[in-house]
Amino acid sequence: MKIAIAGAGAMGSRFGKMLQDSGQTVTLIDNWAAHVSQIQKHGLLVHTDGQEQIVKFEAFQPSELNFQQFDLIILFTKAMQMEGMLQDIQKAIGHNTKILVLANGIGNIETIEHFIPRKQIIAGVTVWSSELDGPGEITLTGTGSVTLQAVQPDDNNALFLQQLVTLMNNAKLNVTVSNSVIEAIWKKAAFNCVLNTYTSLISCNVGEFGAFSNRDFLIDNVLNEITSVAKAMKVPFNKQETLDLILSQFKPGQNGSHYASMYQDLSQNRLTEIDYLNGYIAKKGAEFHIPTPVNSLLTALIHCREELNQMQK
Ligand code: NAD
């Protein structure tokens, strides 16, 4: 299978590395010139548990793609970069190209649908993690899994999905096929709407947030609005399961000392995925006439933090 990773940052490079280790040939596509150039000249330097490995890849900026088309494109930009990436790689997407999206946030499928038919989209969530240390260098952290589903299942993509799952599991990516991936996407997004957003605004880690006396009030207000919006949109969303997942993070030995990715994005002066988390809930709330004052306010506050970062640059 001819595979490209579009957005070869922390996660894209990790998936590329694991697939390539399993014998697949993977092309990395990224618009960060220094990163691409480093991979082209020296390979990708991968740190895992104190060990170092150089992995050789074919790597391109989108403008260097030269009309090659792929059977599978794994889209791994941040949610707000997805549209730009899809515009940049249009010539690499053929009538039979499947796009797999595992990025965080809600609304990614809607973005991709502007570029290809739903039957070519496979969506999911992943709890793998990775860090981008600098151009051509990543650190792999922990283990993980992937849950995915064809957005519009039919006989043609059922066969492709089977091949994809086998290929990804050969790369030890721990893939399972779900029949409710939209629910999984919303659950992960709702988890992030609570933990990423509050801990970023308060500047605390997950364990500190879990110890706040008013944490249940804060969590409930976000989840109640998500529940109402999901109901209006006829999307399956289980508030209790999401709450249990959030509360499980506060147990000793879990992720207490972890700083959320949004906190790290703001600390490093990067834009956040807020418009695809609380911002998506606020936007859909307005569309469906559901009041979402809490998610709207949290979205505005995170945008203030992004703007403040720009002012202080
Ligand atoms: P990242 O910022 O490390 O990587 C994104 C890459 O996309 C960057 O290298 C960037 O240069 C590239 N890019 C952006 N726009 C582009 C364009 N138009 N053309 C070409 N390249 C472009 O992000 P990440 O941490 O790998 O996260 C990707 C997604 O996965 C996000 O939705 C994130 O929330 C999710 N996620 C990340 C982790 C993690 O541990 N890093 C874990 C789970 C999920």
Side-chain angles (χ1 to χ4, degrees), residues 46-119:
V46 182
H47 302 272
T48 319
D49 299 330
Q51 308 283 321
E52 285 185 357
Q53 185 189 354
I54 299 278
V55 187
K56 294 282 184 187
F57 283 100
E58 203 174 41
F60 297 109
Q61 292 191 58
S63 58
E64 302 169 332
L65 269 172
N66 267 342
F67 296 98
Q68 26 174 342
Q69 294 194 333
F70 298 90
D71 301 312
L72 172 70
I73 296 179
I74 305 181
L75 196 51
F76 247 139
T77 63
K78 293 274 173 60
M80 65 283 186
Q81 300 165 330
M82 218 161 266
E83 188 168 353
M85 169 62 90
L86 287 163
Q87 262 155 13
D88 292 346
I89 61 164
Q90 274 195 64
K91 58 190 177 191
I93 305 171
H95 292 302
N96 293 318
T97 304
K98 300 282 194 297
I99 293 190
L100 168 63
V101 60
L102 301 171
N104 280 336
I106 327 176
N108 295 328
I109 297 171
E110 292 163 44
T111 304
I112 302 170
E113 266 183 295
H114 289 131
F115 294 85
I116 57 165
R118 279 174 81 78
K119 62 178 191 217

Side-chain angles (χ1 to χ4, degrees), residues 6-12 29-32 35 62 76-79 81-82 84-86 88-89 102-105 108 126-132 141 188 261 270 273:
M11 291 296 280
I29 305 169
D30 203 281
N31 68 356
W32 184 14
H35 184 53
F76 247 139
T77 63
K78 293 274 173 60
Q81 300 165 330
M82 218 161 266
M85 169 62 90
L86 287 163
D88 292 346
I89 61 164
L102 301 171
N104 280 336
N108 295 328
T126 180
V127 291
W128 285 100
S129 61
S130 178
E131 285 162 27
L132 186 57
T141 45
K188 187 165 189 215
S261 59
R270 293 190 299 245
E273 293 179 301

